[in-house]
Amino acid sequence: MKDLLFIARKDLRYVLGARETLLWVFVMPIVFFYFIGTITSGLGGGGMERTRLAVRADSNSGFLADQVIQRLQEQDFEVVTAADEVDFLRISRRLIIPSAFTDSILEGRPVTLRFERDAGGLTNDYDDLRIRRAAYTVLADIAVTGEMGMKPTAESLAELRAMPRALQLEVVSAGRRKEIPGGFQQAIPGIM
């Protein structure tokens, strides 16, 4: 045991005698903590943020345009109706509802909603899915009102929404939600 302690003491004195070792063992980890913690502080965790979506619908788009906007809000979009073209183009995600939207759908003519975005990203497919879900939900409501013998109107769609659902999903939390650490909460243990 005495020989083992002698070797450890000599090795430690030799290693700590070099200035580079002191720099890399004691100074640089603190620099890395600060740098990586600062860079990654806004990348993860936090609450869900609503995505801004600019929607342009003409005054003659009809009540179904309002239904689509309502469904988009249910899909966690912050729907913004821009006052002019400049404001509309400032928002990175834009949905254009065509003129005579309601009349075209009720007459059975195909209608295309146009979704534009300025740049790609990880959420492109998710945004596309939520917009399609909002549009298809409105179409499903129209089909159901037709099956019930009602004419699709704003009132009949509101009545349909007020009806109790035959199938319901109960969601219960299985425990406390775990937040992915970010910033200094991740950098210090990660570097150590």
Side-chain angles (χ1 to χ4, degrees), residues 32 35 53 60 77 101 105 129 134 155 162 165 167 180 182 190:
F32 289 148
F35 179 73
L53 176 69
N60 64 346
F77 279 109
F101 177 69
I105 289 178
L129 176 75
E155 294 78 23
R165 300 293 179 193
L167 176 65
I180 298 172

Side-chain angles (χ1 to χ4, degrees), residues 8 59 88 136:
S59 59
F88 183 72
Y136 290 146

Side-chain angles (χ1 to χ4, degrees), residues 140-153:
D141 287 348
I142 293 169
V144 169
T145 56
E147 286 294 318
M148 294 173 60
M150 300 187 309
K151 184 179 177 190
T153 62

Side-chain angles (χ1 to χ4, degrees), residues 15-44:
V15 168
L16 292 179
R19 289 182 187 166
E20 308 85 41
T21 303
L22 295 174
L23 176 74
W24 285 104
V25 171
F26 297 109
V27 176
M28 290 310 288
I30 295 170
V31 172
F32 289 148
F33 294 159
Y34 174 76
F35 179 73
I36 294 174
T38 302
I39 296 298
T40 62
S41 63
L43 296 179

Side-chain angles (χ1 to χ4, degrees), residues 63-65 67-68 71 101-102 104-107 135-153 156-157 160:
F63 70 92
L64 289 180
Q67 292 291 320
V68 170
R71 297 301 182 157
F101 177 69
T102 300
S104 297
I105 289 178
L106 295 179
E107 291 172 7
Y136 290 146
T137 303
V138 171
L139 286 177
D141 287 348
I142 293 169
V144 169
T145 56
E147 286 294 318
M148 294 173 60
M150 300 187 309
K151 184 179 177 190
T153 62
S156 65
L157 292 177
L160 177 65

Side-chain angles (χ1 to χ4, degrees), residues 9 27 61 103 116 147 167-168 179:
R9 194 170 40 248
V27 176
S61 292
D103 295 336
E116 301 172 348
E147 286 294 318
L167 176 65
Q168 293 186 1
E179 293 286 334

